[in-house]
Amino acid sequence: MWGQANSTSWTDTTTTNINFRFYKIVRMDPNGDFDGDGLPNWWELQYGLNLFTPGDATNDLDGDGYSNFDEFLMGTDPSTTNDPITVYVDGANTNGVWDGTQANPFRSIQDAVESSVDVSSNLAIRVRPGTYYEPVSNLQYDRYTNVLLLISTRQFLYIYGATTNWSLSTDPESHVIDTLGFQHRDRLLFSGTPSAPAVEFNDVARARIDGFTLRGGLSPYGGGVLAYSSIDGPIYISNCIIEKNGGANTYAGGVFIWAGTNSLIYNTVIAKNTGTNGAVFDVNG
């Protein structure tokens, strides 16, 4: 039977008696979203969710603390607890041990990025409230040489603000990445110049930053967030405040993004940033 996606038709089959059987045919667009919850039909079908229940998006199928919508954005499996792999950060853990567990969280976000988790795995980082004086990048450089020796590039990186009990938080004022005042001067990517975006997603396959204030970033392209994906992977920026980044020689003071057209910036305030082409520049429009 032919017809348009999402349309309905009625047909009947005559049996040997006088009864008629009626069938409602629903033509589904696999890329559509019947219940309007942000989860496409194909994804809900793949993981056994209900196409007609909007509450699926906020539910947590595997109980790992990430909603089904979070898992969809990360490209992870919502039915297994080990995808993504989660490590933890608490700036108040000044005495060690630092192994990224809830009991012994890393002290800095960059240490979590550079953890032993395989760079091709989905890595999620939960960060307790505090101000983190550091630039954050998916790129790991050898900081003990005088040249920029790239050690690794993390492909899948998701950074979340968390509460004191490690549940996800959407309070950006309690989670601050302050690059202008950062203490780790050995992480400068441009020799002799205090220049680094607050958050850098450079040549990632997929990435997200959620629930942070980003300030003080300064780089030639994006001050607050510099995001690039050579394979047009999506970048997600949500529940953030991006402020006081950039400078006279920064292309986009707040966000510079060159990634997939399905990238999203939502529930985010971008203000008081300085750039020659404004606060936000999206190469793909």
Side-chain angles (χ1 to χ4, degrees), residues 208-261:
R208 184 182 187 187
I209 178 80
D210 179 84
F212 283 86
T213 293
L214 309 178
R215 69 167 66 111
L218 180 65
S219 79
Y221 290 96
V225 178
L226 170 59
Y228 167 67
S229 174
S230 62
I231 62 171
D232 286 336
I235 308 293
Y236 304 109
I237 302 170
S238 52
N239 303 307
C240 287
I241 299 172
I242 302 174
E243 63 177 8
K244 302 176 182 177
N245 299 281
N249 297 316
T250 302
Y251 199 82
V255 177
F256 180 93
I257 185 168
W258 187 352
T261 55

Coordinates of all heavy atoms in Angstrom, one line a residue, residues 208-261:
R208 N 29.8 17.2 24.0 CA 28.8 18.0 24.6 C 29.4 18.7 25.9 O 30.2 18.1 26.6 CB 27.6 17.2 25.0 CG 26.5 18.0 25.7 CD 25.3 17.1 26.1 NE 24.2 17.8 26.5 CZ 23.1 17.3 27.1 NH1 23.0 16.0 27.3 NH2 22.1 18.1 27.5
I209 N 29.0 19.9 26.2 CA 29.2 20.6 27.4 C 27.9 21.1 28.0 O 27.1 21.7 27.2 CB 30.2 21.8 27.2 CG1 30.5 22.6 28.5 CG2 29.7 22.8 26.1 CD1 31.5 21.9 29.4
D210 N 27.6 20.8 29.2 CA 26.3 21.0 29.8 C 26.4 21.5 31.2 O 27.0 20.8 32.1 CB 25.5 19.7 29.7 CG 24.1 19.9 30.3 OD1 23.2 20.3 29.6 OD2 23.9 19.5 31.5
G211 N 25.8 22.6 31.5 CA 25.7 23.1 32.9 C 26.9 23.9 33.4 O 27.2 23.7 34.6
F212 N 27.5 24.7 32.6 CA 28.7 25.4 33.0 C 28.6 26.9 32.7 O 28.0 27.3 31.7 CB 30.0 24.9 32.4 CG 30.5 23.6 33.0 CD1 29.9 22.4 32.6 CD2 31.4 23.6 34.0 CE1 30.4 21.2 33.1 CE2 31.9 22.4 34.5 CZ 31.3 21.2 34.1
T213 N 29.3 27.7 33.5 CA 29.7 29.1 33.0 C 31.1 29.0 32.5 O 32.0 28.5 33.1 CB 29.6 30.1 34.2 OG1 28.3 30.2 34.7 CG2 30.2 31.4 33.8
L214 N 31.3 29.5 31.3 CA 32.6 29.6 30.6 C 33.0 31.0 30.5 O 32.3 31.8 29.8 CB 32.5 28.9 29.3 CG 31.9 27.5 29.2 CD1 31.8 27.0 27.8 CD2 32.6 26.5 30.1
R215 N 34.2 31.3 31.0 CA 34.6 32.7 30.9 C 36.1 32.8 30.8 O 36.9 31.9 31.2 CB 34.1 33.5 32.1 CG 34.8 33.2 33.4 CD 34.5 34.3 34.5 NE 33.1 34.4 34.8 CZ 32.6 34.0 36.0 NH1 33.3 33.5 36.9 NH2 31.3 34.1 36.2
G216 N 36.6 33.9 30.3 CA 38.0 34.2 30.2 C 38.7 33.5 29.0 O 40.0 33.6 29.0
G217 N 38.0 32.9 28.1 CA 38.7 32.2 27.0 C 39.2 33.2 26.0 O 38.5 34.1 25.7
L218 N 40.4 32.9 25.4 CA 41.0 33.7 24.4 C 41.7 32.9 23.4 O 42.7 32.2 23.8 CB 41.9 34.7 25.1 CG 42.6 35.7 24.2 CD1 41.6 36.7 23.5 CD2 43.7 36.5 25.0
S219 N 41.3 32.9 22.2 CA 42.0 32.1 21.1 C 41.7 32.8 19.8 O 40.8 33.6 19.7 CB 41.5 30.7 21.1 OG 40.3 30.5 20.5
P220 N 42.4 32.5 18.8 CA 42.2 33.1 17.5 C 40.8 32.9 16.9 O 40.3 33.7 16.1 CB 43.2 32.5 16.6 CG 44.3 32.1 17.5 CD 43.6 31.6 18.7
Y221 N 40.1 31.8 17.3 CA 38.8 31.5 16.7 C 37.7 31.7 17.7 O 37.0 32.7 17.8 CB 38.8 30.1 16.1 CG 39.7 30.1 14.9 CD1 41.0 29.6 14.9 CD2 39.2 30.5 13.6 CE1 41.8 29.6 13.8 CE2 40.0 30.4 12.5 CZ 41.3 30.0 12.6 OH 42.1 30.0 11.5
G222 N 37.4 30.7 18.6 CA 36.4 30.8 19.6 C 36.9 31.0 20.9 O 37.9 30.4 21.4
G223 N 36.4 32.0 21.7 CA 36.9 32.3 23.0 C 36.3 31.4 24.0 O 37.0 30.7 24.8
G224 N 34.9 31.3 24.1 CA 34.3 30.4 25.1 C 34.4 28.9 24.7 O 34.8 28.1 25.4
V225 N 33.9 28.6 23.5 CA 34.0 27.3 22.9 C 34.5 27.3 21.5 O 34.1 28.0 20.7 CB 32.6 26.6 22.9 CG1 32.7 25.2 22.3 CG2 32.0 26.5 24.3
L226 N 35.5 26.5 21.3 CA 36.1 26.3 19.9 C 35.8 24.8 19.6 O 36.3 23.9 20.2 CB 37.6 26.5 19.9 CG 38.3 26.1 18.6 CD1 37.7 26.8 17.4 CD2 39.8 26.3 18.7
A227 N 34.9 24.6 18.6 CA 34.4 23.3 18.3 C 34.6 23.0 16.8 O 34.1 23.7 15.9 CB 32.9 23.1 18.7
Y228 N 35.2 21.9 16.5 CA 35.5 21.5 15.1 C 35.4 20.0 15.0 O 35.9 19.2 15.8 CB 36.9 22.0 14.7 CG 37.3 21.4 13.4 CD1 36.7 21.7 12.2 CD2 38.4 20.5 13.3 CE1 37.1 21.1 11.0 CE2 38.8 19.9 12.1 CZ 38.2 20.2 10.9 OH 38.6 19.7 9.8
S229 N 34.8 19.5 13.9 CA 34.7 18.1 13.6 C 34.9 17.9 12.1 O 34.1 18.4 11.3 CB 33.3 17.5 14.0 OG 33.3 16.2 13.6
S230 N 36.0 17.3 11.7 CA 36.3 17.0 10.3 C 35.3 16.1 9.6 O 35.2 16.0 8.4 CB 37.7 16.5 10.1 OG 37.9 15.3 10.8
I231 N 34.6 15.3 10.4 CA 33.6 14.4 9.9 C 32.2 14.9 10.1 O 31.2 14.1 10.0 CB 33.8 13.0 10.5 CG1 33.5 13.0 12.0 CG2 35.1 12.4 10.2 CD1 33.5 11.6 12.7
D232 N 32.1 16.2 10.5 CA 30.8 16.8 10.7 C 30.0 16.1 11.8 O 28.7 16.0 11.7 CB 29.9 16.8 9.4 CG 30.5 17.9 8.4 OD1 31.1 18.8 8.8 OD2 30.2 17.7 7.2
G233 N 30.7 15.7 12.8 CA 30.0 15.2 14.0 C 29.3 16.3 14.7 O 29.7 17.4 14.7
P234 N 28.2 15.9 15.5 CA 27.5 17.0 16.2 C 28.2 17.5 17.5 O 28.8 16.7 18.2 CB 26.2 16.3 16.5 CG 26.5 14.8 16.6 CD 27.6 14.6 15.6
I235 N 28.0 18.7 17.8 CA 28.4 19.4 19.0 C 27.2 19.9 19.7 O 26.4 20.6 19.1 CB 29.4 20.5 18.7 CG1 30.6 20.1 17.8 CG2 30.0 21.1 20.0 CD1 31.5 19.1 18.4
Y236 N 27.1 19.7 21.0 CA 26.0 20.1 21.8 C 26.5 21.0 22.9 O 27.3 20.6 23.7 CB 25.2 18.9 22.4 CG 24.7 18.0 21.3 CD1 25.3 16.7 21.2 CD2 23.7 18.3 20.4 CE1 24.9 15.8 20.2 CE2 23.3 17.5 19.4 CZ 23.9 16.2 19.3 OH 23.5 15.4 18.3
I237 N 25.9 22.2 23.0 CA 26.1 23.1 24.1 C 24.8 23.4 24.8 O 23.9 24.0 24.1 CB 26.8 24.4 23.6 CG1 28.1 24.1 22.9 CG2 27.1 25.4 24.8 CD1 28.7 25.3 22.1
S238 N 24.7 23.1 26.1 CA 23.4 23.3 26.7 C 23.5 23.7 28.1 O 24.5 23.4 28.8 CB 22.6 21.9 26.7 OG 23.4 20.8 27.2
N239 N 22.5 24.5 28.6 CA 22.4 24.9 30.0 C 23.6 25.6 30.4 O 24.1 25.4 31.6 CB 22.1 23.7 30.9 CG 20.8 23.0 30.5 OD1 19.7 23.6 30.4 ND2 20.9 21.7 30.3
C240 N 24.2 26.5 29.6 CA 25.5 27.2 29.9 C 25.3 28.7 29.9 O 24.3 29.2 29.3 CB 26.5 26.8 28.9 SG 27.2 25.1 29.0
I241 N 26.3 29.3 30.5 CA 26.5 30.8 30.4 C 27.8 31.0 29.8 O 28.8 30.5 30.4 CB 26.4 31.5 31.8 CG1 25.0 31.3 32.4 CG2 26.7 33.0 31.6 CD1 24.9 31.8 33.8
I242 N 27.9 31.6 28.7 CA 29.2 31.9 28.0 C 29.4 33.4 28.0 O 28.7 34.1 27.3 CB 29.2 31.3 26.6 CG1 28.9 29.7 26.7 CG2 30.5 31.5 25.9 CD1 28.8 29.1 25.3
E243 N 30.3 33.8 28.8 CA 30.5 35.3 29.0 C 31.9 35.7 29.1 O 32.8 34.9 29.6 CB 29.7 35.7 30.2 CG 30.2 35.1 31.5 CD 29.5 35.6 32.8 OE1 28.5 36.3 32.6 OE2 30.0 35.3 33.9
K244 N 32.2 36.9 28.7 CA 33.5 37.6 29.0 C 34.7 36.8 28.4 O 35.7 36.6 29.0 CB 33.7 37.8 30.5 CG 32.6 38.7 31.1 CD 32.8 38.8 32.6 CE 31.7 39.6 33.2 NZ 31.8 39.7 34.7
N245 N 34.5 36.3 27.1 CA 35.5 35.6 26.4 C 35.9 36.4 25.2 O 35.2 37.3 24.8 CB 35.0 34.2 25.9 CG 34.6 33.3 27.1 OD1 35.4 32.7 27.7 ND2 33.3 33.2 27.3
G246 N 37.0 36.0 24.6 CA 37.4 36.6 23.3 C 38.3 37.9 23.5 O 38.6 38.3 24.6
G247 N 38.6 38.5 22.4 CA 39.4 39.7 22.4 C 39.4 40.3 21.0 O 38.7 39.8 20.1
A248 N 40.3 41.3 20.8 CA 40.3 42.0 19.5 C 40.7 41.2 18.4 O 40.3 41.4 17.2 CB 41.3 43.2 19.6
N249 N 41.5 40.1 18.6 CA 41.9 39.2 17.6 C 41.2 37.9 17.6 O 41.7 36.9 17.0 CB 43.4 39.0 17.7 CG 44.2 40.3 17.5 OD1 43.9 41.1 16.6 ND2 45.2 40.5 18.4
T250 N 40.1 37.8 18.2 CA 39.3 36.5 18.3 C 38.2 36.6 17.2 O 37.5 37.6 17.1 CB 38.7 36.3 19.6 OG1 39.7 36.3 20.6 CG2 37.9 35.0 19.7
Y251 N 38.0 35.6 16.4 CA 37.1 35.5 15.3 C 35.6 35.6 15.9 O 34.8 36.4 15.5 CB 37.3 34.3 14.5 CG 36.6 34.4 13.1 CD1 37.3 35.1 12.1 CD2 35.4 33.8 12.8 CE1 36.7 35.2 10.8 CE2 34.8 34.0 11.6 CZ 35.4 34.6 10.6 OH 34.9 34.7 9.3
A252 N 35.3 34.7 16.8 CA 34.0 34.7 17.5 C 34.2 34.6 19.0 O 34.8 33.6 19.5 CB 33.2 33.5 17.0
G253 N 33.8 35.6 19.7 CA 34.1 35.7 21.1 C 33.5 34.6 21.9 O 34.2 34.1 22.8
G254 N 32.3 34.3 21.6 CA 31.6 33.3 22.5 C 31.8 31.8 22.0 O 32.4 31.0 22.7
V255 N 31.4 31.5 20.8 CA 31.4 30.2 20.2 C 31.8 30.2 18.8 O 31.2 30.9 18.0 CB 30.0 29.5 20.4 CG1 30.1 28.1 19.7 CG2 29.6 29.4 21.8
F256 N 32.8 29.4 18.4 CA 33.1 29.2 17.0 C 32.9 27.7 16.8 O 33.5 26.8 17.5 CB 34.6 29.5 16.7 CG 35.0 29.2 15.3 CD1 34.9 30.2 14.3 CD2 35.4 28.0 14.9 CE1 35.3 30.0 13.0 CE2 35.8 27.7 13.5 CZ 35.7 28.8 12.6
I257 N 32.0 27.4 15.8 CA 31.6 26.0 15.6 C 31.7 25.6 14.1 O 31.1 26.3 13.3 CB 30.2 25.7 16.2 CG1 29.9 24.2 16.2 CG2 29.2 26.5 15.6 CD1 28.7 23.8 17.0
W258 N 32.4 24.5 13.9 CA 32.5 24.0 12.5 C 32.3 22.5 12.6 O 33.2 21.7 12.8 CB 33.8 24.3 11.9 CG 34.0 24.0 10.4 CD1 33.1 23.3 9.7 CD2 35.1 24.3 9.6 NE1 33.6 23.1 8.4 CE2 34.8 23.8 8.3 CE3 36.3 25.0 9.8 CZ2 35.7 23.9 7.2 CZ3 37.2 25.1 8.7 CH2 36.8 24.6 7.5
A259 N 31.0 22.1 12.5 CA 30.6 20.7 12.8 C 29.4 20.4 12.1 O 28.9 21.1 11.2 CB 30.5 20.5 14.3
G260 N 28.7 19.3 12.5 CA 27.6 18.8 11.8 C 26.4 19.8 11.9 O 26.3 20.5 12.9
T261 N 25.5 19.8 10.9 CA 24.4 20.7 10.9 C 23.4 20.3 11.9 O 22.4 21.1 12.2 CB 23.7 20.7 9.5 OG1 23.4 19.3 9.1 CG2 24.6 21.3 8.4

